[in-house]
Amino acid sequence: MYVYLNSQRKHSSAPFRCLETMASGGAVDERSSSPHRRLPDFLQSVNLKYVKLGYHYLITHLLTLLLLPLIAVVLLEAIQTDPDDVRQLWLHLQYNLVSVVSLSALLVFATTVYLLTRPRSVYLVEYSCYLPPPELKAPFSAFMAHSKACGFDDSALEFQRKILKRSGLGEETYVPESVYAIPPQPTMANARSEAEQVMFGALDNLFTSTGVNPKDIGILVVNCSLFNPTPSLSAMIINKYKLRGNIKSYNLGGMGCSAGVISVDLAREMLQVHRATYAVVVSTENMTQNWYFGNRKAMLIPNCLFRVGGAAVLLSNRASDKRRAKYELVHTVRTHRGADDRAFRCVFQEQDDTGKTGVSLSKDLMAIAGESLKINITTLGPLVLPISEQLLFFATLVLKKFFKPKIKPYIPDFKLAFEHFCIHAGGRAVIDELESNLQLESIHVEASRMTLHRFGNTSSSSIWYELAYIEAKGRIRKGHRIWQIAFGSGFKCNSAVWKSLRNVKASVHNPWKDCIDRYPVVTVDQVLAGTN
């Protein structure tokens, strides 16, 4: 049962605990101030976070603050320069024509090399998230009734009931029609039908909203982890929209929930090579042939979390598209820990003892995800964090290494680098861990929690439903930075950083447009925990 609230709540979580209740709270100052005191006692009430923000501003603008006096001195000297001195300088240059021409040629050559070799900007023109029809909604009661009809034993049914209750999913997530049939019909034809419904639904909306002719698409990247038919999903799209014959198409499979960022990174690399073209990225997952019908608990969790979803993204390297684009791609950082056996097997597709195929989740999953995140943000940090955070982090490391071994390591404040966070909605545990370890506030993970509640784990497309949520709330302003971060089998942790080019409004086909006023929501047990 859920209660709809429009207020923000502070969530807290303990490390490496998957199913802990969130609590809200805050410190209350019980000291009463004197009625004769008109101003607060700044020595007592100063807040460390404001000192930190001031320090951040000072260090970030240190170069500017140092250059201003230098610029002022140069301008003052230029004003006081005698006209005869200027005339003598001009005559000197006239008598050294070879030097002037050589210097000018060198300057032109250097400028040309820079313009030809610099990375091309990649713009996100528009994207579209698939919204399934209402008849595919799967409330908990229907889910459990279906599971019982499919012949799961009592222990497996009780396990699924507990997972659903604590999962963070709501009553309006979607499953494919073939899975809910009695008996289920996991045929190749139904799997193709699900893929077509999701991919074509997202692409139709994308082409309609942008007005782009499908024949203008030069690059196509499709990712789907568990369904890879022949012809491929990318070939299905080419056939449907009659894309041109020289299109560069790629079909990524088996790369898990972080494949959406991988696809964006691949499209970015291709856009560096091919001039003035469009790239389309399609991220989806297919459930029809990947529903687990056995009783092994480690393989039942995906049944409870994964739901129907997909997204299509239009990217461009055309300078003319910057005016209408929503975002510019700033960074992509990919971390792959496949060389570690534990990481490699923590999300593993296999057969159980009865020969039924499913995806098994290891108990080490959260620990491995934490290690992967640490590596990823260590690489990402220097690219995005202000110099003040980097200096604090470095100073703490030096103190810990040489002077105070027991000092706690400094955790950089990524809230100074990003205004918005799109954390893969893999489950409550994933979101709780990142909120805790990155010291985020409830509003920073709101999009992730609400996407999990409304759509479930839609795999690689979840980060786009989250961005659509933030847009529907009207929170994105020009210059805002967005961090998309996702985890996937292998094991991988991937990040994409975007910069908003304008104040972004929700698109006509935004999947949240009919329900955004009901969000955010919190569960009843979270409300009760917050009042204790």
Side-chain angles (χ1 to χ4, degrees), residues 322-511:
K322 182 176 182 179
R323 290 175 297 176
R324 66 166 179 162
K326 288 184 172 182
Y327 308 100
E328 180 178 356
L329 182 59
V330 182
H331 301 292
T332 54
V333 175
R334 294 166 55 180
T335 300
H336 203 310
R337 302 197 60 233
D340 184 295
D341 290 340
R342 286 174 58 249
F344 176 73
R345 294 190 64 89
C346 70
V347 180
F348 205 79
Q349 186 179 26
E350 59 185 350
Q351 292 180 324
D352 65 11
D353 297 336
T354 63
K356 293 182 173 65
T357 302
V359 176
S360 176
L361 303 183
S362 166
K363 294 180 180 180
D364 297 329
L365 177 59
M366 290 307 302
I368 293 168
E371 295 166 4
S372 303
L373 172 66
K374 180 179 178 181
I375 297 171
N376 190 267
I377 64 175
T378 300
T379 306
L380 180 67
L383 300 175
V384 299
L385 286 170
I387 190 64
S388 60
E389 289 298 293
Q390 297 189 45
L391 289 176
L392 283 171
F393 181 71
F394 178 74
T396 306
L397 285 180
V398 172
L399 285 173
K400 185 176 179 64
K401 181 72 175 178
F402 299 104
F403 302 101
K404 296 181 178 180
K406 294 184 179 180
I407 191 174
K408 291 183 179 180
Y410 177 73
I411 300 176
D413 188 355
F414 279 89
K415 297 189 294 295
L416 295 174
F418 306 108
E419 284 76 26
H420 307 286
F421 297 78
C422 296
I423 301 167
H424 167 53
R428 277 183 57 190
V430 175
I431 301 170
D432 288 348
E433 284 305 305
L434 266 73
E435 179 186 14
S436 173
N437 291 319
L438 296 180
Q439 299 179 352
L440 303 179
E441 298 177 5
S442 59
I443 194 170
H444 295 126
V445 296
E446 180 184 306
S448 300
R449 293 191 190 280
M450 297 308 105
T451 295
L452 181 65
H453 175 269
R454 176 65 181 85
F455 295 100
N457 182 348
T458 60
S459 190
S460 56
S461 64
S462 68
I463 53 178
W464 298 110
Y465 286 90
E466 293 161 14
L467 185 57
Y469 178 90
I470 301 172
E471 289 183 4
K473 284 293 185 181
R475 295 173 180 170
I476 297 182
R477 297 289 181 267
K478 183 177 180 180
H480 279 190
R481 298 152 297 179
I482 301 97
W483 181 15
Q484 292 179 322
I485 183 166
F487 303 88
S489 59
F491 190 84
K492 298 179 286 293
C493 176
N494 299 317
S495 294
V497 178
W498 303 88
K499 182 180 180 180
S500 174
L501 298 175
R502 54 185 169 89
N503 295 345
V504 179
K505 297 180 180 179
S507 63
V508 176
H509 302 291
N510 189 295

